[in-house]
């Protein structure tokens, strides 16, 4: 029997710390449902003390998820841990993940604490966390640059205090595989009662080594890997869940472990996270990139046609790449629509929401002949915006763009329930539309990113637009989808403005594991 490798997904916490990748509560619940469908062991739902919004999202996920463990991150202080404990309280299986920095530079420059004080605080944190759950994880932030003797000391203390998982993070992506593996190996050998806990790793990708470091740690004895869908995360991101899982699955001759992940749900999870966060997946991304199983070379094509394993080490269908199929059309009824949403793990909270979504589906079906799963996800993303969140709304758009003439846009917006009109010229139809919107809203925001992707294939495909805006240190992404790219662009811009209008600022944590 092989050991179980615990997959700890932190897309909703660490992944959300990517600039502009902040998700609404409803979006987080959709991702959490998909992670549970994929049979992820632990879902780190957020940082409960960061904001009231984070707290409410974690609590909602704790009330929704039944099979996976729901976890909240907390700094090693009583207030943070109390908020985490309250947030995860409804969960069937719950965990508190608490951390404190252990590297000399962090202890001296950031915490301004002595090593003795850090150990004392860590032990207290475990005691506070165990008031809420027996499943307590401890992380030594910046362990990758910490002194090995001090790590042994603090880990021994927190294990004695009741920690059940010990996480060794390479917080700044500084380590190399052989070095990191040796660190894990020595910790397991030297720390008393190391066999009483699960050893975990959380690797960042600053040098492109997050997955390599994670897998090397597994070979050295780690039995939990913390990772994210698509490798999302701060700076260069985290270890990619799909790469870790498929490496272990594809090379059973190398790894003495196995996961419980339902791998056919990997691609659907990747697409959902990409769509919600506005972070597209590069075509040559391993496992989930559009070209991951494409063969251009004639030699490769010939080999694959003769025998798939000549150039493919895994099957595309095993990770969820299947031929897009027509799921619904304009003649489909309300029950068929509702059933397909349920199959996709999408649950609408009320009959009113279902009726509204179905009406939008019918409108879309009149515009394009084939409705794919990706279209439904985009439709529901639009529908998830509640009237309370929709301070700005597009009522009407008209664009004139012809060769040799300056593009011109005219818009009618609803702003707080009041209808306002504006028009503007621009260098292109989208530029003119954005300028017309700004004449009304005067947001003072800076446009950081404008991106367009086709949701499906065909000239009638919906265009999915991502707009990233910055204002006052707050960065948000807005998404919009429509068969008309200019309309999709206006929707995305207004979606971002609505987020800026309604957002509550997050408290930045002292650090990040």
């Amino acid at each position: 029997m092989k050991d179980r490798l615990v997959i700890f997904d932190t897309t909703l916490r660490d992944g959300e710390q990517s600039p502009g990748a902040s998700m609404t509560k409803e979006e987080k619940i959709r991702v959490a449902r998909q992670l549970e469908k994929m049979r992820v062991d632990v879902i780190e739902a957020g940082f409960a003390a960061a904001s009231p919004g984070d707290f409410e999202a974690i609590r909602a996920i704790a009330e929704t998820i039944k099979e996976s463990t729901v976890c909240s991150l907390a700094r090693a202080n009583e207030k943070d841990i109390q908020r985490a404990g309250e947030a995860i309280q409804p969960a069937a299986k719950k965990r508190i993940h608490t951390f404190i920095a252990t590297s000399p530079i962090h202890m001296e420059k950031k915490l301004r604490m002595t090593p003795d004080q850090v150990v004392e605080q860590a032990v207290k944190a475990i005691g506070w966390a165990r008031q809420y759950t027996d499943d307590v994880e401890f992380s030594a932030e910046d362990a990758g640059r910490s002194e090995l003797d001090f790590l042994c000391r603090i880990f021994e203390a927190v294990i004695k205090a009741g920690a059940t998982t010990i996480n060794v993070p390479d917080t700044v992506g500084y380590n190399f595989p052989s070095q990191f593996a040796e660190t894990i190996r020595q910790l397991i050998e030297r720390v008393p009662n190391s066999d009483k806990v699960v050893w975990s790793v959380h690797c960042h990708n600053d040098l492109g080594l997050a997955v390599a470091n994670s897998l090397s740690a597994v070979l050295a004895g780690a039995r939990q890997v913390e990772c994210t869908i698509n490798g999302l995360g701060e700076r260069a991101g985290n270890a990619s869940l799909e790469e870790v899982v498929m490496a272990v699955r594809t090379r059973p001759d190398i790894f003495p472990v196995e996961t419980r992940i339902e791998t056919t749900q990997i691609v659907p999870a990747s697409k959902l996270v990409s769509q919600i966060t506005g972070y597209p997946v590069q075509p040559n991304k391993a496992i989930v990139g559009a070209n991951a199983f494409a063969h251009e070379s004639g030699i490769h094509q010939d080999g694959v046609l003769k025998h798939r394993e000549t150039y493919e080490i895994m099957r595309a269908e095993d990770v969820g790449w299947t031929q897009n199929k027509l799921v619904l059309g304009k003649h489909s009824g309300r029950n068929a629509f509702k059933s397909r949403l349920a199959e996709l793990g999408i649950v609408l909270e009320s009959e009113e929401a279902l009726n509204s979504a179905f009406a939008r589906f019918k409108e879309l079906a009149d515009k394009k002949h084939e409705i794919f799963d990706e279209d439904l996800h985009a439709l529901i993303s639009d529908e998830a915006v509640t009237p309370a969140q929709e301070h700005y709304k597009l009522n009407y758009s008209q664009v004139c763009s012809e060769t040799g003439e300056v593009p011109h846009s005219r818009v009618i917006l609803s702003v707080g329930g009041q209808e306002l009109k504006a028009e503007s010229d621009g260098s292109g139809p989208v530029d003119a539309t954005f300028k017309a919107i700004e004449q009304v809203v005067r947001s003072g925001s800076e446009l950081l990113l404008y991106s367009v992707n086709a949701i499906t294939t065909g000239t009638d495909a919906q265009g999915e637009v991502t707009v990233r805006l910055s204002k006052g240190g707050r960065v948000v992404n807005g998404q919009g989808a429509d068969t008309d790219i200019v309309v999709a662009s206006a929707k995305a811009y207004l979606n971002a403005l609505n987020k800026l209008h309604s957002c509550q600022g997050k408290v930045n944590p002292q650090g990040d594991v």
Side-chain angles (χ1 to χ4, degrees), residues 275 324 373-375 378 453-457 461-464 480-482:
Q275 191 170 58
N324 277 333
D373 291 347
E374 292 87 347
D375 293 311
N453 291 289
I455 292 177
T456 57
T457 57
Q462 287 195 95
E464 183 179 52
D482 199 276

Side-chain angles (χ1 to χ4, degrees), residues 33-304:
R33 283 197 176 110
Q34 178 60 35
L35 294 175
E36 183 178 41
K37 193 174 183 180
M38 194 163 60
R39 302 185 71 198
V40 162
D41 297 287
V42 183
I43 299 172
E44 188 165 54
F47 192 107
S51 70
D54 263 32
F55 178 91
E56 292 301 327
I58 295 167
R59 193 168 182 88
I61 291 168
E63 291 169 346
T64 302
I65 299 303
K66 305 304 179 189
E67 299 299 324
S68 302
T69 296
V70 177
C71 175
S72 174
L73 185 69
R75 290 168 294 191
N77 67 61
E78 190 170 10
K79 184 178 178 181
D80 270 27
I81 290 170
Q82 179 184 0
R83 291 292 282 172
E86 291 170 352
I88 63 170
Q89 188 274 328
K93 293 185 281 188
K94 44 186 172 279
R95 174 182 295 187
I96 290 176
H97 179 192
T98 186
F99 71 97
I100 195 167
T102 55
S103 65
I105 189 171
H106 275 242
M107 289 190 289
E108 178 186 349
K109 303 297 184 183
K110 186 183 71 173
L111 298 181
R112 299 185 179 179
M113 296 170 67
T114 66
D116 288 348
Q117 290 172 323
V118 169
V119 173
E120 181 183 0
Q121 191 69 17
V123 170
K124 285 181 179 178
I126 302 304
W128 291 322
R130 284 184 62 86
Q131 295 175 24
Y132 300 94
T133 176
D134 292 334
D135 189 349
V136 178
E137 176 172 341
F138 174 78
S139 282
E141 185 189 3
D142 203 21
R145 294 189 297 175
S146 298
E147 296 172 351
L148 190 61
D149 287 346
F150 184 64
L151 286 178
C152 290
R153 177 187 170 192
I154 196 168
F155 288 154
E156 178 182 0
V158 295
I159 292 172
K160 186 176 181 180
T164 51
T165 298
I166 299 297
N167 185 44
V168 186
D170 184 19
T171 305
V172 293
Y174 183 70
N175 282 229
F176 272 66
S178 58
Q179 170 201 357
F180 196 56
E182 184 59 26
T183 297
I184 299 300
R185 190 174 292 110
Q186 288 205 35
L187 286 171
I188 294 174
E189 288 177 359
R190 292 176 54 182
V191 174
N193 295 315
S194 66
D195 59 329
K196 301 294 193 297
V197 296
V198 174
W199 288 86
S200 170
V201 291
H202 177 123
C203 298
H204 279 261
N205 205 39
D206 297 71
L207 293 174
L209 295 169
V211 170
N213 282 333
S214 298
L215 294 174
S216 295
V218 170
L219 292 176
R223 289 298 177 262
Q224 175 178 284
V225 171
E226 304 193 0
C227 43
T228 62
I229 302 296
N230 300 335
L232 199 64
E234 281 198 290
R235 304 185 313 278
N238 290 272
S240 163
L241 180 148
E242 57 273 12
E243 294 176 24
V244 170
V245 168
M246 292 311 295
V248 169
R249 188 178 191 270
T250 304
R251 296 303 306 269
D253 56 321
I254 298 292
F255 294 99
V257 296
E258 57 189 5
T259 75
R260 64 190 291 268
I261 295 294
E262 175 52 64
T263 60
T264 58
Q265 294 299 318
I266 285 176
V267 168
S270 169
K271 290 182 176 181
L272 178 63
V273 169
S274 175
Q275 191 170 58
I276 285 177
T277 61
Y279 273 71
V281 176
Q282 67 193 61
N284 63 330
K285 168 78 168 66
I287 316 298
V288 294
N291 293 347
F293 293 90
H295 300 278
E296 180 72 17
S297 162
I299 295 174
H300 284 215
Q301 291 173 346
D302 180 63
V304 169

